[in-house]
């Protein structure tokens, strides 16, 4: 029996965190995740900034889910002020969010490939991701830290030919993803590595507070986009990806299916945008100060349920802004997931959690 | 005067050399080494003779015994240099093919990116030489030396053709295999001596994996030796030239051999000992700088040996059907080696890494029975004189189905 400290500088930990495992030979009998290496006082820093200035900071919460984090921040402030967005702004946010979701899942798939030792998955997934980052550049001028949502709408309307480019990329991606699936689902080795490890039941998932693909991977049919709809998600026709397996393969399945569903959502949102007149404003004016009170807003992040809790004191700066990060909660289930598996399974299991330390440590 | 000296010692036919080490078999590396020393030693002797006429050293330098001894030393250098260049070419091939398969740019330095390996090797030379303070120094250095040394040794023992070899030994396959099997023990020692948990686990994995994959590999060796009637590499190749490539009757053995060879060369999907996702670099974790570079080189030497053995045992070595040895048999042999290595690369690009228990299951539960079946096939071939397809055709009851098939 020995304790092995994996991290914070370790190839399997995507970001700075440590997983201490107690191994009996190759079998793991105990584990303990340690996070906090990337704590930078995000919440405290927000208290010294006016509301619009926090949007670019929200981008920095997670490098591959910047759009949704800025979105959830804008959403909580909008709810505090009590304004409704225009349809055009809503659909633009939907498109931006789904582009963000696809590129985030592709980043996860790429990291999963290196965790399992297949660099081809890594490079092919990143190749596909480039197209979506290019879409980000066209829409917002930035690849990762997009700074696109604004309180009361979005920064700008679609540029010329964005709709054409977006639909082209999506159409191409729906084919290209099958190419990558050929490397994963059709490989017996991949299946044998992913199946039957990191199992977590529905009950345990609820007790640990898992959200997002990790939760849907064990059969919980819940998605905020459908069950607590925002931004007209309820007007679009799409399905929640659920897998009953509960193991690493189930979480993989859910993310792959979500990418296909996101493509579907982008196409429909583009069609809706077509029907809305271009004169519809993408952004409405909002007051500088937020009325006193407490509010929270949540939405479906690529990694789970991201929630922000805002306490405002009537000034132009938040009194308190609390972030509920999905990864901060999901990683607490690591101990439960890795117990009883082998050391070689740790990257496969932890890979399916899709770590992002920026948001977990804040 | 130089001409005179050279004429004095030069044999137009190396077999005329009374000290010729290879009897009546022509050895090209020896000849090259001999010619090199003729040039260097002859020039040296001529210069000395100019400066100090009639000294004893000049004639000693070009005497038969000295020429012969130095030719053997230079022959070893030539064979190692060629094996080294083959190795670099294989690394280059892997990088280019992997780059193409992964849809990215591969190496870009030099013509077709060939010089990338040289620059990488130079880079590892420039790194600081680090040894962990709490490492077991004896085990740390000796294990490294033996792993690299045995890998280089077996790579140099692979004959490229009838005329390119070191020793034409009767137990060729067995000796190569015995040297191949040294590595697991030293890797175990290396993993322990580094005083690092990752390398310890990696060393244990390497020992378990390499030892369990040696068993099916050895049975495949035995079946090929039985088929050819000899362990001698030359005779195995010539036996295939006389009948057919053994990949046809022994396809099962070929598949078993390739899987086991990938495991023995510690390549993806069987690179558990150095699984970088969970074990950082496995048993090589604490070997940094030039030591790491040499280990990588040794890994590719082992990969080369595995591919070369595959080409010798199953693809007819340096012979081509209908043509025979041809003018440059070494090139034919190397092409076959690179072809087999391409399969290694292909597998690496397409597959993930398997798990510790799975790799042992594959070895003991699948490959071992298959290799035994392969051995039984060889025994049947030797007993009946029929090839497998003859046996299958013979098993069909032609007389009883004669009326059933309408066109008969």
């Amino acid at each position: 029996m020995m304790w092995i400290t994996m991290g914070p500088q370790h190839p399997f930990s995507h970001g700075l965190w440590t997983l201490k495992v107690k191994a009996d030979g190759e079998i793991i009998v105990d584990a303990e995740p340690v996070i906090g290496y990337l704590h930078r006082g995000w919440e405290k820093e927000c208290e010294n900034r006016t509301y619009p200035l926090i949007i670019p900071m929200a981008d920095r919460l997670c490098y591959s889910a910047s759009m949704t984090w800025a979105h959830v921040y804008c959403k909580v402030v909008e709810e505090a002020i009590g304004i409704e967005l225009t349809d055009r702004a809503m659909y633009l946010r939907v498109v931006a969010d789904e582009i963000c979701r696809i590129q985030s899942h592709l980043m996860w798939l790429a990291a999963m490939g290196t965790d399992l030792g297949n660099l081809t998955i890594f490079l092919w997934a990143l190749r596909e991701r480039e197209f979506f980052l290019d879409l980000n550049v066209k829409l917002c001028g930035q690849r990762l830290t997009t700074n696109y949502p604004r309180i009361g709408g979005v920064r700008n309307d679609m540029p010329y030919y964005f709709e054409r480019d977006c639909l082209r990329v999506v159409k191409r991606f729906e084919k290209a993803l099958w190419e990558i699936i050929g490397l994963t689902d059709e490989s017996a080795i991949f299946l044998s590595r992913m199946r039957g490890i990191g199992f977590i039941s529905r009950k345990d998932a609820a007790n640990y507070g898992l959200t997002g693909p990790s939760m849907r991977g064990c059969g919980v049919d819940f998605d905020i986009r459908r069950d607590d709809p925002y931004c007209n998600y309820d007007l679009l026709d799409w399905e929640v990806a659920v897998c009953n397996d509960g193991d690493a393969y189930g979480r993989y399945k859910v993310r792959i299916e979500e990418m296909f569903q996101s493509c579907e959502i982008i196409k429909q949102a583009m069609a809706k945008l077509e029907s809305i007149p271009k004169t519809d404003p993408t952004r409405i004016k909002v007051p500088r100060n937020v009325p006193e009170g407490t509010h929270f807003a949540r939405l479906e992040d690529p990694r789970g349920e991201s929630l922000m809790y805002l306490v405002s004191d009537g000034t132009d700066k938040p009194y308190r802004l609390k972030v509920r990060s999905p990864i901060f909660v999901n990683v607490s289930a690591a101990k439960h997931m890795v117990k009883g598996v082998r050391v070689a399974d740790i990257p496969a299991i932890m890979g399916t959690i899709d770590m992002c330390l920026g948001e977990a440590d804040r | 005067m130089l001409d005179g000296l050279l004429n004095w010692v030069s044999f137009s036919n190396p077999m005329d050399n009374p000290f010729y080490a290879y009897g009546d078999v022509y050895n090209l590396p020896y000849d090259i080494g001999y010619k090199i020393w003729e040039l260097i030693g002859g020039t040296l002797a001529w210069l000395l003779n100019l400066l100090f006429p009639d000294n004893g050293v000049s004639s000693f330098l070009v005497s038969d015994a000295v020429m012969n001894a130095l030719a053997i030393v230079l022959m070893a250098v030539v064979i190692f240099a060629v094996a080294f260049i083959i190795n670099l070419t294989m690394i280059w091939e892997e990088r280019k093919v992997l780059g193409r398969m992964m849809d990215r740019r591969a190496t870009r330095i030099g013509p077709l990116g060939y010089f990338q390996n040289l620059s990488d090797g130079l880079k590892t030379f420039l790194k600081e030489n680090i040894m962990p303070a709490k490492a077991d120094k004896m085990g740390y250095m000796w294990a490294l030396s033996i792993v690299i040394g045995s890998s280089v040794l077996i790579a140099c023992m692979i004959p490229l053709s009838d005329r390119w070899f070191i020793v034409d030994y009767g137990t060729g396959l067995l000796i190569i295999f015995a040297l191949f099997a040294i590595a697991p023990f030293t890797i175990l020692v290396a993993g322990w001596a580094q005083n690092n948990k990752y390398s310890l686990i990696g060393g244990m994995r390497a020992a378990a994996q390499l030892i369990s994959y040696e068993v099916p590999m050895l049975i495949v060796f035995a079946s090929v030796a039985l088929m050819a009637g000899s362990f001698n590499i030359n005779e195995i190749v010539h036996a295939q030239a006389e009948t057919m490539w053994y990949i046809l009757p022994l396809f099962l053995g070929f598949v078993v051999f390739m899987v086991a060879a990938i495991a023995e060369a510690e390549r993806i999907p069987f690179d558990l000992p150095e699984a970088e996702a969970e074990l950082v670099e496995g048993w090589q974790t604490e070997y940094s700088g030039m030591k790491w570079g040499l280990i990588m080189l040794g890994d590719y030497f082992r990969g080369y040996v595995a591919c070369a053995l595959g080409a010798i045992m199953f693809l007819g070595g340096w012979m081509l059907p209908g043509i025979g040895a041809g003018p440059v048999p070494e090139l034919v042999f190397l092409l076959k080696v690179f072809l087999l290595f391409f399969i290694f690369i292909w597998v690496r690009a397409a597959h993930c890494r398997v798990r510790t228990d799975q790799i042992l299951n594959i070895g003991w539960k699948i490959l071992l029975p298959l290799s035994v079946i392969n051995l039984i096939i060889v025994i049947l071939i030797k007993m009946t004189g029929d090839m497998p397809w003859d046996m299958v055709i013979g098993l069909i009851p032609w007389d009883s189905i004669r009326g059933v098939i309408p066109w008969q």
Side-chain angles (χ1 to χ4, degrees):
Chain A
M1 294 252 200
M2 60 177 172
W3 280 97
I4 307 173
T5 309
M6 291 183 157
Q9 306 281 352
H10 192 281
F12 104 92
S13 60
H14 307 298
L16 293 172
W17 71 295
T18 301
L19 185 67
K20 289 182 179 166
V21 294
K22 193 179 187 184
D24 179 11
E26 282 261 348
I27 311 278
I28 291 164
V29 290
D30 200 2
E32 188 190 344
V34 182
I35 59 171
Y37 295 93
L38 206 59
H39 180 63
R40 47 204 195 282
W42 193 91
E43 289 168 0
K44 189 69 190 166
E45 210 170 330
C46 286
E47 291 167 16
N48 295 323
R49 286 165 186 256
T50 57
Y51 284 102
L53 288 186
I54 297 174
I55 298 170
M57 282 192 59
D59 283 346
R60 269 80 178 165
L61 272 174
C62 176
Y63 69 102
S64 64
S66 54
M67 198 74 86
T68 45
W69 276 108
H71 186 170
V72 70
Y73 168 71
C74 291
K75 197 175 165 216
V76 70
V77 179
E78 281 153 12
E79 279 183 17
I81 299 173
I83 50 167
E84 270 295 307
L85 298 188
T86 60
D87 271 357
R88 193 163 184 82
M90 282 189 186
Y91 284 122
L92 279 171
R93 278 191 184 181
V94 166
V95 170
D97 273 9
E98 296 308 316
I99 289 173
C100 168
R101 194 181 313 279
I102 291 175
Q103 62 98 343
S104 169
H105 281 350
L106 279 174
M107 188 63 231
W108 158 80
L109 187 60
M112 197 74 225
T114 52
D115 283 345
L116 294 175
N118 190 337
L119 275 173
T120 316
I121 298 176
F122 174 78
L123 282 150
W124 286 10
L126 283 192
R127 179 190 69 194
E128 301 311 322
R129 184 171 181 254
E130 271 320 288
F131 291 103
F132 288 97
L133 293 182
D134 285 350
L135 284 184
N136 265 356
V137 171
K138 287 197 180 89
L139 189 61
C140 336
Q142 271 291 345
R143 283 158 58 86
L144 290 176
T145 48
T146 45
N147 195 12
Y148 185 59
R150 288 288 182 274
I151 300 166
V154 293
R155 191 183 67 190
N156 55 284
D157 203 344
M158 288 188 291
Y160 292 123
Y161 301 123
F162 180 75
E163 185 182 350
R164 183 200 67 182
D165 293 346
C166 189
L167 291 179
R168 268 188 195 170
V169 167
V170 166
K171 195 178 166 194
R172 185 191 178 283
F173 176 66
E174 278 176 328
K175 278 185 203 155
L177 188 53
W178 281 107
E179 227 177 82
I180 303 174
I181 290 174
L183 278 176
T184 55
D185 268 339
E186 289 174 21
S187 159
I189 295 177
F190 180 85
L191 294 182
S192 69
R193 279 304 301 278
M194 296 290 278
R195 279 198 173 137
I197 55 162
F199 185 80
I200 190 160
S201 65
R202 293 176 62 160
K203 193 180 163 195
D204 287 329
N207 285 341
Y208 278 108
L210 290 191
T211 48
S214 306
M215 170 186 70
R216 290 193 286 278
C218 51
V220 183
D221 189 3
F222 180 78
D223 191 317
I224 300 172
R225 289 176 289 174
R226 184 193 66 191
D227 299 320
D228 183 11
Y230 56 95
C231 281
N232 290 350
Y233 265 110
D234 46 341
L235 301 183
L236 304 172
D237 180 28
W238 57 282
E239 281 170 16
V240 176
V242 183
C243 186
N244 286 322
D245 289 8
D247 53 5
Y249 183 69
R251 298 191 275 279
Y252 156 82
K253 257 313 213 208
V254 164
R255 286 203 173 85
I256 294 285
E257 183 57 30
E258 262 183 24
M259 282 195 258
F260 283 121
Q261 292 300 333
S262 293
C263 291
E264 202 55 43
I265 294 173
I266 290 177
K267 279 193 247 172
Q268 292 180 21
M270 277 298 179
K272 297 265 186 189
L273 277 171
E274 185 85 351
S275 62
I276 301 170
K278 291 237 174 189
T279 49
D280 197 22
T282 56
R283 187 178 171 187
I284 48 179
K285 291 214 165 179
V286 291
R288 187 179 171 82
N289 292 359
V290 172
E292 211 173 319
T294 62
H295 298 274
F296 77 87
R298 58 178 185 168
L299 54 75
E300 190 70 26
D301 189 74
R303 286 166 181 74
E305 176 183 331
S306 61
L307 187 148
M308 278 203 193
Y309 179 73
L310 174 72
V311 181
S312 63
D313 53 358
T315 61
D316 59 347
K317 289 174 185 169
Y319 178 74
R320 175 86 171 88
L321 185 61
K322 169 83 176 73
V323 174
R324 187 265 189 204
S325 150
I327 287 303
F328 182 78
V329 182
N330 287 3
V331 78
S332 65
K335 184 176 180 176
H336 182 87
M337 286 180 186
V338 302
K339 225 176 253 183
V341 302
R342 283 155 205 281
V343 175
D345 286 331
I346 290 178
I349 295 171
M350 290 298 113
T352 52
I353 287 187
D354 193 8
M355 290 298 288
C356 183
L357 266 295
E359 61 176 69
D361 291 345
R362 299 191 286 284
Chain B
M1 193 172 226
L2 177 63
D3 290 345
L5 267 173
L6 286 183
N7 287 336
W8 176 39
V9 294
S10 183
F11 300 100
S12 56
N13 179 2
M15 268 84 143
D16 294 341
N17 183 346
F19 296 93
Y20 188 64
Y22 294 94
D24 54 352
V25 184
Y26 177 63
N27 186 301
L28 183 59
Y30 178 90
D31 206 15
I32 294 174
Y34 198 90
K35 294 260 161 54
I36 293 173
W37 184 249
E38 228 172 44
L39 209 65
I40 301 171
T43 315
L44 216 60
W46 174 67
L47 276 174
L48 279 174
N49 208 33
L50 268 186
L51 297 172
F52 314 102
D54 291 335
N55 61 352
V57 181
S58 264
S59 52
F60 174 74
L61 277 180
V62 289
S63 64
D64 280 352
V66 173
M67 288 288 285
N68 197 55
L70 286 167
I72 287 177
V73 171
L74 285 172
M75 179 198 76
V77 173
V78 166
I79 284 188
F80 173 73
V82 169
F84 191 75
I85 289 168
I86 294 169
N87 196 356
L88 289 186
T89 313
M90 288 175 81
I91 300 174
W92 169 79
E93 181 196 0
E94 168 153 38
R95 293 178 128 170
K96 292 306 265 190
V97 175
L98 265 189
R100 187 53 65 94
M101 284 178 173
M102 291 176 178
D103 204 355
R104 63 178 165 84
R105 286 193 191 283
T107 55
R108 307 274 288 159
I109 298 178
L112 289 175
Y114 191 81
F115 292 158
Q116 178 75 48
N117 296 324
L118 300 178
S119 83
D120 281 359
L122 193 66
K123 182 189 73 185
T124 57
F125 266 115
L126 299 177
K127 297 280 179 197
E128 188 186 351
N129 191 16
I130 303 170
M131 185 194 274
K134 289 187 178 172
D136 184 305
K137 304 233 168 6
M138 282 284 271
Y140 183 81
M141 290 315 289
W142 272 105
L144 175 76
S145 317
I146 295 174
V147 168
I148 298 165
S150 67
S151 304
V152 174
L153 182 59
I154 45 176
C156 293
M157 283 172 77
I158 295 287
L160 295 190
S161 70
D162 278 338
R163 60 185 190 190
W164 193 286
F165 58 93
I166 294 185
V167 188
D168 185 19
Y169 32 90
T171 52
L173 278 185
L174 274 186
I175 287 183
I176 289 176
F177 190 77
L179 289 169
F180 217 83
I182 287 178
F185 306 105
T186 47
I187 287 176
L188 189 59
V189 173
W192 175 82
Q194 291 168 49
N195 198 11
N196 179 325
K197 287 168 186 169
Y198 298 128
S199 61
L200 180 62
I201 294 177
M204 297 296 286
R205 283 183 182 183
Q209 172 186 332
L210 297 186
I211 288 173
S212 61
Y213 274 74
E214 268 161 17
V215 179
M217 209 170 176
L218 192 59
I219 295 176
V220 173
F221 277 33
S223 60
V224 170
L226 191 60
M227 190 85 178
S230 170
F231 274 114
N232 185 314
I233 288 174
N234 260 326
E235 287 179 23
I236 290 172
V237 171
H238 284 284
Q240 289 179 70
E242 284 160 18
T243 55
M244 67 177 72
W245 290 4
Y246 287 163
I247 189 173
L248 296 175
L250 303 184
F251 187 72
L252 197 59
F254 176 71
V255 173
V256 172
F257 173 81
M258 285 304 278
V259 176
I262 292 174
E264 287 286 314
E266 288 179 22
R267 292 174 56 82
I268 288 174
F270 302 123
D271 72 333
L272 293 165
E274 55 205 73
E276 69 268 1
E278 65 258 23
L279 294 184
V280 189
E281 242 337 281
W283 65 273
Q284 315 163 358
T285 304
E286 298 287 358
Y287 288 114
S288 53
M290 195 55 220
K291 294 194 284 276
W292 179 84
L294 285 174
I295 286 176
M296 277 289 131
L297 206 65
D299 267 6
Y300 278 92
F301 270 125
R302 296 169 77 78
Y304 161 57
V305 170
C307 293
L309 286 179
I312 286 168
M313 293 196 299
F314 297 102
L315 294 183
W318 48 87
M319 301 283 208
L320 283 174
I323 301 170
V328 195
E330 291 85 3
L331 216 56
V332 175
F333 180 71
L334 287 181
L335 279 179
K336 286 176 184 173
V337 169
F338 292 150
L339 186 73
L340 286 183
F341 197 63
F342 176 78
I343 298 177
F344 278 27
I345 302 165
W346 195 359
V347 169
R348 174 178 174 180
H351 281 296
C352 305
R353 183 182 299 121
V354 301
R355 212 166 53 206
T356 333
D357 52 335
Q358 291 164 349
I359 197 172
L360 296 184
N361 282 346
I362 295 169
W364 291 109
K365 292 183 185 166
I366 299 175
L367 290 187
L368 188 60
L370 284 181
S371 63
V372 172
I373 291 172
N374 182 55
L375 188 61
I376 292 171
I377 290 175
V378 174
I379 292 172
L380 285 177
I381 291 174
K382 283 307 225 189
M383 280 171 67
T384 61
D386 290 341
M387 283 296 156
W389 44 90
D390 298 331
M391 295 180 206
V392 172
I393 293 170
L395 283 178
I396 299 171
W398 291 110
D399 292 334
S400 54
I401 62 171
R402 193 169 293 276
V404 181
I405 301 173
W407 59 82
Q408 272 192 327

